[in-house]
Amino acid sequence: MAGNTITKPSDLSCTPSRAARELGLKRGDFDLAVHLGRVHTVPDEEGGGRRVTHAEIDRLRSAAGFPDTLLESVRTVGTTDGAALMKVTSARFTRLARLGLVVPVKFYLNRYRAVVWLYLAEELRQFAADKNHTSLLNGRTPERLRDQLQEGLDLRPRNWRGRHLGFLLHQAADPWERAGALAALLDPVHVAEIVQDPYERAHLNRFRPDPPAHGAPGSAAARLAARIMTADDPDEISWLCADLRQVLEEARCHRPAPRPTSGLAVPRPTIAPTAPPTSLSERRPDLTPELAPDAGRRADTRIRTRAITRHVGLAAPQKRVRGAAPTRRPQRQRPARRSRGVHAPERQRHAWAAVHMPRVTTACTSHSAAAAATAL
């Protein structure tokens, strides 16, 4: 019975969320562990993203010092904690990060939309333990480095992009996926200059990974994250463009981009011709009755009757023809009902005249009589 059981590929692996819970990691720490290569993932055969096998989870859980060792390998710190870990001031730590001596592993935007860079605690301890870095931690910063800082040098975004590109290339298993990872760090204008074929460009965008989610799409935080994700240094842009051209050549040889087939005409639906509509005279039934022997006398009487009724103003009676549809009598139109408020102003004027006009007339009469007496 056990030999007839079919094991699905999904039964041998689990989703990243479940793997993070079984390993005791937060989802952000789990993604960082995947990027750093601490946790190995496999592609989903059903096209649902990356998955983690149960064998990989068992390997990590059977390691010595689990889970403290795994948690410490993915622990990140900010500027203040990183400076305390390296036993330097926060200002010196920021200068070292801007010079590219310590590389951030990820970033986030705080509520003031300021970029907060995070660093691996394990890498900071290794940097502080190196004896070659003693002068950078305790001594005076060299003049050449101070001049670069005064000019506004800040290599943190570029170093993060380089590290993030390494994560993407590590997960890519196809030349088109590697090309998509390189195109994700370039401006669409530069990509269009390299990939001029619209079908290839559309196929390349399918393998372009999404940027790290920061805020709602289209928000100020999302635009700031997209600006950090896009290369802006001329040397970095030229290096990425050269790599993209080389990887595209490999991708074209591996599998050309699909394009619509030419030469195949799309059949148009044929519409059967319909018979022309019959004229109104053809569809109208012949309602003319057969003429009787005394048809002339009846016609003469009918004409005189119509003339008299037209002169008087009466409607001529219509004779109903047998077999014809009954005609409806025209309904008499009722006069529109007056609304009570239409003539309200006029009634108010009449009421005012009834009250004030006698007084005005009496006043005018008395004034005329006085004027006449004076004239006499």
Side-chain angles (χ1 to χ4, degrees):
M1 196 68 182
N4 298 331
T5 303
I6 300 176
T7 304
K8 298 181 180 180
S10 59
D11 298 336
L12 302 177
S13 60
C14 61
T15 60
S17 300
R18 181 180 175 183
R21 289 194 302 268
E22 294 187 5
L23 294 175
L25 297 174
K26 298 179 181 180
R27 184 56 192 270
D29 295 339
F30 177 82
D31 295 339
L32 181 58
V34 172
H35 290 166
L36 295 174
R38 307 285 195 272
V39 180
H40 302 287
T41 59
V42 294
D44 188 4
E45 296 181 358
E46 299 179 358
R50 311 287 297 185
R51 298 179 67 90
V52 183
T53 60
H54 294 292
E56 177 67 13
I57 295 176
D58 296 339
R59 182 187 69 83
L60 294 172
R61 299 183 67 173
S62 61
F66 178 84
D68 297 337
T69 305
L70 182 60
L71 290 173
E72 188 62 26
S73 64
V74 295
R75 187 170 73 92
T76 57
V77 294
T79 301
T80 304
D81 295 339
L85 189 62
M86 297 176 63
K87 298 180 180 180
V88 295
T89 61
S90 299
R92 182 181 288 270
F93 183 87
T94 303
R95 290 196 297 267
L96 294 176
R98 289 179 56 187
L99 291 171
L101 300 176
V102 289
V103 181
V105 70
K106 61 181 181 179
F107 70 93
Y108 71 91
L109 304 178
N110 60 10
R111 58 181 178 177
Y112 304 107
R113 296 177 185 173
V115 183
V116 179
W117 300 99
L118 300 177
Y119 308 85
L120 280 176
E122 184 179 0
E123 292 182 355
L124 297 182
R125 283 194 296 266
Q126 294 176 1
F127 184 88
D130 193 350
K131 296 181 179 180
N132 297 326
H133 301 153
T134 305
S135 58
L136 296 174
L137 298 176
N138 302 324
R140 184 178 177 85
T141 305
E143 183 178 0
R144 179 177 58 86
L145 299 180
R146 289 200 308 270
D147 295 340
Q148 294 179 358
L149 292 174
Q150 292 178 358
E151 294 175 358
L153 177 65
D154 191 357
L155 297 179
R156 287 175 294 183
R158 179 173 179 175
N159 289 339
W160 175 85
R161 286 192 294 266
R163 177 165 241 167
H164 186 67
L165 178 61
F167 297 158
L168 298 177
L169 294 177
H170 177 72
Q171 294 182 352
D174 186 84
W176 283 107
E177 293 184 3
R178 293 196 296 271
L182 291 168
L185 302 182
L186 287 172
D187 190 84
V189 177
H190 295 98
V191 177
E193 293 177 355
I194 299 173
V195 190
Q196 299 182 0
D197 189 357
Y199 300 107
E200 278 192 355
R201 192 162 58 250
H203 187 62
L204 177 63
N205 291 333
R206 293 178 53 191
F207 299 94
R208 189 169 181 167
D210 297 331
H214 293 279
S219 61
R223 292 193 297 268
L224 180 58
R227 188 163 67 248
I228 295 175
M229 185 79 179
T230 306
D232 55 356
D233 190 74
D235 295 339
E236 184 183 7
I237 293 173
S238 61
W239 169 66
L240 290 173
C241 291
D243 286 355
L244 180 59
R245 291 189 182 93
Q246 181 179 359
V247 176
L248 278 176
E249 293 296 333
E250 299 176 4
R252 294 187 185 104
C253 298
H254 176 72
R255 184 179 65 253
R259 59 185 64 250
T261 56
S262 59
L264 296 179
V266 179
R268 295 183 178 181
T270 57
I271 302 176
T274 58
T278 58
S279 61
L280 187 61
S281 60
E282 296 179 358
R283 292 181 295 180
R284 182 182 302 170
D286 187 9
L287 303 179
T288 305
E290 297 181 359
L291 296 178
D294 55 349
R297 185 176 58 192
R298 293 181 181 178
D300 190 15
T301 306
R302 194 181 305 118
I303 292 173
R304 288 199 301 271
T305 305
R306 289 178 181 175
I308 294 171
T309 55
R310 189 179 297 113
H311 177 71
V312 176
L314 301 177
Q318 296 181 0
K319 186 177 181 180
R320 181 177 177 182
V321 183
R322 183 177 298 176
T327 58
R328 295 183 179 181
R329 294 182 179 180
Q331 298 180 359
R332 191 179 69 177
Q333 297 183 357
R334 297 181 179 179
R337 182 179 297 178
R338 293 182 179 180
S339 59
R340 296 182 178 180
V342 174
H343 302 286
E346 186 175 355
R347 288 200 300 269
Q348 291 178 3
R349 288 195 298 270
H350 289 322
W352 182 89
V355 176
H356 298 282
M357 286 300 292
R359 299 178 183 177
V360 176
T361 306
T362 304
C364 292
T365 304
S366 60
H367 179 70
S368 300
T374 304
L376 293 176

